[in-house]
Amino acid sequence: MLVPSTKTFLLNPVQFQGPCMSSTVGVQVIRLFFSFLFFSFFPFLDGNLLEKVQILGKIVAPSDLDAWKHFDAKNWLLFSNVSRLVIQGNGEIDGQGAAWWNRDSDGKPTALAIHDCDGLQLSGLTHINSPKSHMHIVRCNQASISKLNIVAPEDSPNTDGIDVAYSTNVKIHNCNIGTGDDCIAISEGTSNIHIANIQCGPGHGISIGSLGKDGMSSSVEEVRVQNCHLKGTMYGARIKTWQGGSGYARKISFQGITLDQVHKPILINQYYCNGKNNCKNQTSAVQVSDVLYQGFHGTSATEVAVELSCSENIACSNIVLEDIDIRYADSDKIAQSSCDNAHGTSTNTFPAVDCLEP
């Protein structure tokens, strides 16, 4: 499927649905030229037809909310059950989300959702102004996501860059992401995730979670975040879990992180609450363990540069900090650390993290 350059296509919510099981990616290329007018209906694609999508032009979502009323607004563009799907090009996907940003977040569409697409390759595109998250990657194993530009205003709510859930062996690298929420969020059911060379900011940093909402059991493990630069973000490397959940977040590493006036550079928050829920104290919690923070350098926009706020009942364990040098951007004050029921070690860290328990 080719979206040609120099063209802009206005597209209603559409699904591209498999199963597609061809062993050769991109041998068949189908050229579909979209109308400049709204589609009232776009048929599903099935069989072995859809394998490669090349976007060289621009795809634009309806900006008038009335145009959505006859559609399921959960997703704008949805690809599902397409094995070895390739989406690439230097084109642009514009969610025109401004009209949605003051509405309830549960009613907003994600711009691009990709479900059950093993062997996914996504690269090169620019994604802007999604109504909600720019991209949901769900149940996609052996995926590669690279060289994306994802942009939305700093004050646009819930406009995560890349959200990943229920997926394994996913690599996200060499992307520029600046939004109103998490640059990248790694959610439940994920393992073996490698994130590298990400330019993040503005936004809420790179997050594990949130996990354990509404008493759910969540599991995340084997996540590596390396060689990333965060500028002006609300958080840096963050793990966030709700009270009352269960499961684990473990074997997670953040290494080689450069910080430029990040508000909370290192944060574990097991009391996460989005402000809309009545968040009462609960005894159960998602267990956080085996977390490495290594090679953090730069400045914090707040006095507390390291905050490890762990459950009263289920402590964080084996939290390791090494080679940390985070200075308070206000040169008249000294950066601090804070811990609550966190166990581990710190070596060569500034600020000192003496509050860690053995």
Side-chain angles (χ1 to χ4, degrees):
M1 183 169 68
L2 172 66
V3 177
S5 63
T6 74
K7 302 293 185 181
T8 298
F9 300 106
L10 185 62
L11 192 64
N12 273 348
V14 60
Q15 298 182 23
F16 301 92
Q17 192 172 37
C20 300
M21 301 299 295
S22 176
S23 60
T24 305
V25 180
V27 171
Q28 300 170 348
V29 178
I30 299 172
R31 301 191 177 198
L32 299 176
F33 295 92
F34 302 119
S35 171
F36 283 97
L37 301 177
F38 286 95
F39 282 102
S40 60
F41 175 76
F42 197 99
F44 292 145
L45 298 181
D46 55 14
N48 291 329
L49 296 179
L50 180 62
E51 298 164 342
K52 184 173 183 179
V53 179
Q54 189 170 20
I55 301 175
L56 304 178
K58 185 175 181 179
I59 298 175
V60 178
S63 59
D64 183 352
L65 299 190
D66 287 341
W68 293 77
K69 62 185 179 182
H70 299 299
F71 298 92
D72 178 3
K74 185 176 181 180
N75 299 299
W76 172 33
L77 306 174
L78 172 62
F79 292 83
S80 63
N81 293 291
V82 183
S83 178
R84 300 188 182 184
L85 172 65
V86 176
I87 305 175
Q88 64 183 23
N90 58 5
E92 181 175 285
I93 296 177
D94 183 355
Q96 297 212 91
W100 295 89
W101 291 336
N102 292 325
R103 295 171 62 93
D104 188 291
S105 63
D106 292 335
K108 302 176 187 177
T110 293
L112 175 63
I114 303 176
H115 297 174
D116 303 289
C117 294
D118 289 350
L120 168 70
Q121 297 180 50
L122 175 60
S123 65
L125 300 171
T126 295
H127 301 253
I128 68 172
N129 295 336
S130 177
K132 195 178 179 183
S133 297
H134 286 78
M135 193 178 304
H136 274 176
I137 308 297
V138 182
R139 295 183 302 275
C140 295
N141 304 312
Q142 306 294 337
S144 175
I145 301 168
S146 65
K147 299 179 182 178
L148 302 181
N149 293 299
I150 304 177
V151 182
E154 186 174 4
D155 60 353
S156 59
N158 303 113
T159 53
D160 292 18
I162 303 171
D163 292 341
V164 182
Y166 302 107
S167 302
T168 187
N169 295 318
V170 177
K171 185 174 183 180
I172 305 171
H173 59 101
N174 299 100
C175 297
N176 297 308
I177 306 174
T179 67
D181 212 295
D182 295 328
C183 290
I184 299 172
I186 303 300
S187 192
E188 62 270 9
T190 55
S191 62
N192 291 302
I193 310 296
H194 185 203
I195 299 168
N197 300 310
I198 304 298
Q199 301 289 322
C200 171
H204 292 184
I206 297 174
S207 296
I208 310 298
S210 60
L211 305 175
K213 185 178 181 181
D214 297 326
M216 289 181 59
S217 177
S218 299
S219 62
V220 172
E221 64 181 338
E222 298 287 0
V223 178
R224 293 179 293 150
V225 181
Q226 296 177 304
N227 303 324
C228 296
H229 179 240
L230 294 93
K231 181 176 181 179
T233 54
M234 187 175 293
Y235 308 98
R238 177 168 61 152
I239 299 173
K240 50 180 177 176
T241 70
W242 295 77
Q243 293 185 80
S246 61
Y248 54 81
R250 66 191 183 194
K251 299 179 182 178
I252 298 165
S253 63
F254 298 92
Q255 298 172 287
I257 307 299
T258 304
L259 308 160
D260 185 351
Q261 298 202 49
V262 173
H263 285 257
K264 292 189 176 183
I266 294 176
L267 175 65
I268 295 177
N269 180 11
Q270 291 204 272
Y271 298 90
Y272 177 74
C273 181
N274 64 4
K276 296 181 180 180
N277 298 64
N278 184 14
C279 301
K280 298 179 180 179
N281 286 337
Q282 300 184 57
T283 56
S284 61
V286 176
Q287 188 171 33
V288 177
S289 64
D290 305 315
V291 182
L292 171 66
Y293 300 93
Q294 184 182 63
F296 278 62
H297 300 274
T299 57
S300 171
T302 54
E303 190 171 1
V304 179
V306 178
E307 181 178 340
L308 309 175
S309 182
C310 301
S311 167
E312 294 178 3
N313 299 287
I314 302 178
C316 299
S317 61
N318 194 27
I319 309 300
V320 177
L321 294 98
E322 297 177 349
D323 186 25
I324 307 294
D325 187 357
I326 305 174
R327 306 287 168 161
Y328 191 11
D330 183 343
S331 59
D332 293 333
K333 298 180 180 179
I334 298 175
Q336 305 291 325
S337 63
S338 171
C339 308
D340 184 7
N341 209 19
H343 298 259
T345 61
S346 63
T347 306
N348 190 28
T349 63
F350 187 91
V353 193
D354 298 331
C355 53
L356 267 176
E357 301 176 49

